[in-house]
Each structure stands twice: as structure tokens, then as C-alpha cells.
């Protein structure tokens, strides 16, 4: 098994009603999250963001459109102990690049890595996501409802 790189993206999706898309992980029913994914060798974080949105939701956005916004925010956090086996033995901290994108609430969501999804209000999303960095990104980068 090839190790994962300890660099990833977090992409918060919200709709025209400023509701946030959260998804339930297949491997942990209590773990809700936004789109996340490992940056592949030679890939820029923004390219990873576009790839991961397409892979995890089926929503294909064109990098030329500029739809995904780089929040110019980077998190560093300890890798969950139960996931460390996926990373090199000396990797204990992950670096996460934060992005946000508005999509239509009518966009069909096709899950490939999650068991369920919901569009929820910003405050609800921030309460339900597992990761503190995901919570902070929702609160900081999703616009307030009008």
C-alpha cells in the first residue's frame, strides 16, 4: 500500500440559500464533513479541490470557471491516531488548504465515498461536522443567510 501524503484540501460547498453541503463518511456514521482529499504528487492544491469535488459529489466544475475560491487559509492538525497507518511512519501532522464554492441546490449530488448528504444551515453544519478545521472554515467562509 502506498502511503498518503500528509497534505490535503478542504472544500466547503454551499448553495444559493447559503446552506452548507455536509456528507456522512462510510467508515464512521458520526463523522460528517465537507469535501476533503489528499493532494497527489505533483498536483497543486486548487487542482486537487476541483478533482475532489468531482470525485466525492459528482459535481464537475471547470478550473477555467474560477468557481472554487482559494480562501488563502492553511490549517495544520494532528492526524487521527486510527488513520496514521495510512501515512508515512514519521507523519503526525497534516497540512490542509481551504477552499469554498457556491453550487446550485438543484445540482445532482452523486456520492462515491459517503453514505448520506444533507444541505443544512451554516450554524447546523458547523455543529455537525467532526473536524474543528471544517467547523472553522464553515463559520469563516460561508456567507451569512440574507
Amino acid at each position: 500500500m502506498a502511503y498518503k501524503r500528509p497534505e490535503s484540501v478542504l472544500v466547503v460547498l454551499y448553495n444559493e440559500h447559503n446552506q452548507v453541503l455536509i456528507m456522512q463518511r462510510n467508515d464512521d456514521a458520526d463523522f460528517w464533513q465537507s469535501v476533503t482529499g489528499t493532494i497527489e504528487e505533483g498536483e497543486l492544491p486548487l487542482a486537487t479541490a476541483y478533482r475532489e469535488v468531482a470525485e466525492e459529489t459528482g459535481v464537475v466544475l471547470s478550473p477555467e470557471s474560477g468557481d472554487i475560491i482559494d480562501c488563502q487559509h492553511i490549517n495544520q492538525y494532528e492526524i487521527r491516531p486510527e488513520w496514521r497507518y495510512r501515512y508515512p511512519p514519521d507523519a503526525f501532522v497534516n497540512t490542509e488548504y481551504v477552499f469554498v464554492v457556491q453550487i446550485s441546490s438543484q445540482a445532482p449530488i452523486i456520492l462515491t465515498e459517503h453514505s448520506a448528504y444533507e444541505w443544512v444551515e451554516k450554524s447546523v453544519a458547523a455543529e455537525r461536522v467532526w473536524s474543528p478545521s471544517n467547523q472553522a472554515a464553515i463559520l469563516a467562509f460561508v456567507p451569512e443567510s440574507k
Side-chain angles (χ1 to χ4, degrees), residues 1-31:
M1 171 182 111
Y3 289 125
K4 292 176 74 165
R5 296 177 68 221
E7 283 190 290
S8 65
V9 298
L10 168 67
V11 187
V12 178
L13 284 75
Y14 68 95
N15 65 26
E16 67 275 12
H17 309 292
N18 294 340
Q19 295 173 312
V20 178
L21 179 73
I22 58 172
M23 300 176 296
Q24 182 181 41
R25 287 184 63 98
N26 283 336
D27 60 357
D28 186 341
D30 294 328
F31 196 123

Side-chain angles (χ1 to χ4, degrees), residues 16 32-33 64 84 93 95 108 127 135 137-138:
E16 67 275 12
W32 288 78
Q33 67 184 141
E64 290 75 31
R84 283 221 187 101
V93 174
T95 300
E127 288 175 15
Q135 179 184 46
I138 290 167

Side-chain angles (χ1 to χ4, degrees), residues 2-146:
Y3 289 125
K4 292 176 74 165
R5 296 177 68 221
E7 283 190 290
S8 65
V9 298
L10 168 67
V11 187
V12 178
L13 284 75
Y14 68 95
N15 65 26
E16 67 275 12
H17 309 292
N18 294 340
Q19 295 173 312
V20 178
L21 179 73
I22 58 172
M23 300 176 296
Q24 182 181 41
R25 287 184 63 98
N26 283 336
D27 60 357
D28 186 341
D30 294 328
F31 196 123
W32 288 78
Q33 67 184 141
S34 295
V35 169
T36 63
T38 300
I39 299 172
E40 295 178 355
E41 192 66 43
E43 190 175 44
L44 295 175
L46 183 59
T48 304
Y50 279 97
R51 178 178 55 76
E52 289 292 342
V53 167
E55 287 178 5
E56 293 188 15
T57 69
V59 176
V60 179
L61 302 168
S62 167
E64 290 75 31
S65 70
D67 290 330
I68 295 180
I69 306 300
D70 185 342
C71 297
Q72 301 294 310
H73 186 82
I74 300 171
N75 297 309
Q76 290 196 313
Y77 59 85
E78 185 177 342
I79 298 168
R80 285 177 87 184
E82 58 267 38
W83 291 347
R84 283 221 187 101
Y85 72 92
R86 301 174 184 174
Y87 295 87
D90 60 345
F92 297 95
V93 174
N94 187 70
T95 300
E96 176 183 74
Y97 300 83
V98 180
F99 299 88
V100 67
V101 61
Q102 181 179 353
I103 66 170
S104 170
S105 60
Q106 301 304 309
I109 304 297
I110 302 166
L111 299 177
T112 59
E113 301 176 17
H114 299 85
S115 54
Y117 75 91
E118 294 180 25
W119 286 107
V120 297
E121 297 302 318
K122 175 179 175 174
S123 61
V124 173
E127 288 175 15
R128 297 223 359 236
V129 294
W130 181 89
S131 162
S133 66
N134 197 165
Q135 179 184 46
I138 290 167
L139 294 173
F141 302 115
V142 173
E144 294 296 328
S145 295
K146 296 174 184 168

